[in-house]
Amino acid sequence: MTRAQARQFITALAESMPDAESELVYTDAFSLLVAVVLSAQATDKSVNKVTIGLFRDAPDARAMVALGEEGIAAHIRTIGLWRAKAKNVLRLSEQLLALHGGEVPSDRAALEALAGVGRKTASVVLNVMFGESAMAVDTHIFRLGNRTGLAPGKTTRAVEEGLIKRIPPDMLRPSHHWLILHGRYVCKARSPECGRCVAFTPCLFPLKAQISSSKGEAG
């Protein structure tokens, strides 16, 4: 897409989802950080189910360390990779206490140094909690960037850099949520619903017209 097409695409999403926000349930930077770590290869819905009890018993880093690995694991057994995630949540809580006084740092390098925290997780925390125009590229945004022509790239970093170049600076921070939700509910992996896409016109997906017309005929 050209920059003009990108603005048209993002503006359409913005107008359809003016109040878009993360679907993870959190109350502060610590609970958001832990929720995002737990969301790897798991749905936000499944994570929200387990964090109700987890955050009730361990609302901060000190309480999480006191809960221990087995205590954390007992809360999160229903989500994918729960054993590794329990280890990471315990370790990152220990790191927060030892290095940051129990507080979540607002620096990317410090965040990415925490157990279980990669670039995507750090970007979510920086965007949502600290107001930075960071673009966290998950599977939904990676798919959209390539499928629509908004920011094609072979790696998540390439898509991230393409989005930062094309999306207007004043729209970059909230576009993180618009793109995730659009990919989750409309531009889905197996069955994109082009017929109800608000950004149909600027989208460069080669099969969009075919999908849209076939669904119209079926309806």
Side-chain angles (χ1 to χ4, degrees), residues 150-208:
L150 181 60
K154 293 183 178 180
T155 65
T156 55
R157 187 62 179 271
V159 171
E160 175 187 336
E161 291 173 354
L163 290 171
I164 291 173
K165 288 179 181 178
R166 289 183 176 85
I167 296 175
D170 61 312
M171 304 178 80
L172 186 57
R173 184 186 179 218
S175 67
H176 162 70
H177 295 307
W178 298 329
L179 290 169
I180 286 178
L181 296 178
H182 189 64
R184 185 173 292 165
Y185 298 114
V186 180
C187 195
K188 297 178 286 188
R190 295 185 179 180
S191 54
E193 298 185 18
C194 299
R196 69 183 190 92
C197 177
V198 297
F200 183 88
T201 299
C203 176
L204 302 181
F205 180 38
L207 302 179
K208 68 175 187 178

Side-chain angles (χ1 to χ4, degrees), residues 33 95-96 99-100 104-123 125-126 130 132 134 157:
L33 175 63
Q95 292 172 310
L96 289 176
L99 303 173
H100 306 289
V104 175
S106 58
D107 173 74
R108 177 179 290 280
L111 281 169
E112 292 186 21
L114 299 172
V117 179
R119 186 172 182 84
K120 185 200 77 172
T121 296
S123 292
V125 174
L126 291 171
F130 299 111
E132 290 195 19
R157 187 62 179 271

Side-chain angles (χ1 to χ4, degrees), residues 121-145:
T121 296
S123 292
V124 172
V125 174
L126 291 171
N127 181 298
V128 175
M129 292 306 307
F130 299 111
E132 290 195 19
S133 295
M135 176 55 67
V137 179
D138 68 348
T139 55
H140 297 300
I141 294 181
F142 183 77
R143 180 176 66 255
L144 255 68

